[in-house]
Amino acid sequence: MPRKSHPWFRRSDGWWYVKVNGRQVKLARGREHKQAALTRWHELMAERAANPPVESCDHTVASIIDLHLTHSKRPYSPDTYALHLHYLQLFAEAHGFRLVRDCRSLHLTGWLDANPQWASDWTRFNIISVVQRAFNWAVEQGLIPANPFRGVKRRPGEPRRPMTDEEFRRLLRATVTRRPGGWNPDRPRKRPTPGGRFRYVL
């Protein structure tokens, strides 16, 4: 019988962690906040116990996210998967206890508004896309009848300003690579350098 995972403190980043479904989940920051970490751990265990089986009609936000993360590793690169894992875990910490049928778009938009550090339109656009992708996947798999967050608007960020002529000239100059000892027409030609290839693209 596998041993039950217990919280532990990681000195390198100052967080309490616990392993849930093979993933390390942050509980509380600071060695002195052990009690807060234990409280959060018990909450996670209660949510896990409440999560229904795959064939259930009463899925929670947490159960859908867990299933999506378990079955969606292959299509994503490690970096992309890590980003999805980060945002989905944060969303599950806030709303994982809710039954999907009781969810509304306001739960997602309210969660975004409660995190003012995500001020960029591009950041909010990406987070909404990550959450919606998980629940769209659940609809495709027949786990839920509809995505409760489908109506949340995804406004892409404002396009950046055009590059100035001076900035373009500086970029071209930065791609110039000089051969050691100067140019020698009798020296056999070598393959283009990365800077040379980038200059050709420019």
Side-chain angles (χ1 to χ4, degrees):
M1 184 175 183
R3 295 177 59 187
K4 187 176 181 181
S5 180
H6 288 270
W8 75 91
F9 182 73
R10 181 178 291 165
R11 294 177 60 185
S12 60
D13 62 1
W15 278 87
W16 287 91
Y17 286 85
V18 72
K19 202 163 189 177
V20 179
N21 295 333
R23 302 195 310 273
Q24 293 183 9
V25 179
K26 291 180 177 179
L27 298 174
R29 189 169 192 175
R31 183 182 288 274
E32 68 278 10
H33 294 144
K34 181 178 181 179
Q35 189 56 49
L38 291 174
T39 300
R40 180 58 188 150
W41 174 51
H42 290 306
E43 291 173 353
L44 287 175
M45 293 302 99
E47 290 174 9
R48 184 181 181 186
N51 282 347
V54 173
E55 62 273 11
S56 173
C57 296
D58 294 323
H59 277 285
T60 63
V61 168
S63 68
I64 292 300
I65 287 175
D66 280 342
L67 288 168
H68 173 69
L69 289 172
T70 300
H71 296 283
S72 64
K73 290 183 180 180
R74 188 173 299 174
Y76 301 120
S77 68
D79 289 343
T80 300
Y81 179 79
L83 185 66
H84 285 214
L85 174 64
H86 173 69
Y87 289 127
L88 289 174
Q89 281 188 336
L90 291 177
F91 188 60
E93 289 173 8
H95 293 288
F97 65 94
R98 296 186 187 279
L99 292 173
V100 174
R101 66 167 179 260
D102 295 333
C103 290
R104 301 292 183 268
S105 296
L106 183 61
H107 292 132
L108 177 53
T109 55
W111 173 67
L112 289 169
D113 292 341
N115 288 274
Q117 70 272 22
W118 301 328
S120 163
D121 284 339
W122 278 113
T123 301
R124 292 171 67 93
F125 176 87
N126 288 331
I127 294 173
I128 293 170
S129 297
V130 167
V131 173
Q132 288 185 341
R133 186 174 290 117
F135 287 84
N136 286 337
W137 172 88
V139 173
E140 293 169 359
Q141 301 301 314
L143 299 173
I144 55 177
N147 178 357
F149 309 113
R150 184 178 180 181
V152 178
K153 301 292 185 182
R154 295 186 293 170
R155 185 179 67 179
E158 294 294 329
R160 296 182 179 180
R161 63 171 177 80
M163 184 182 298
T164 66
D165 292 341
E166 176 57 27
E167 288 170 337
F168 184 69
R169 284 192 292 269
R170 287 164 55 192
L171 188 61
L172 284 175
R173 287 196 296 270
T175 63
V176 175
T177 56
R178 300 185 181 277
R179 292 174 179 265
W183 174 256
N184 185 348
D186 298 325
R187 182 181 299 164
R189 295 186 61 184
K190 296 182 179 180
R191 297 178 63 182
T193 63
R197 288 193 293 268
F198 184 55
R199 183 181 179 86
Y200 177 76
V201 171
L202 292 176

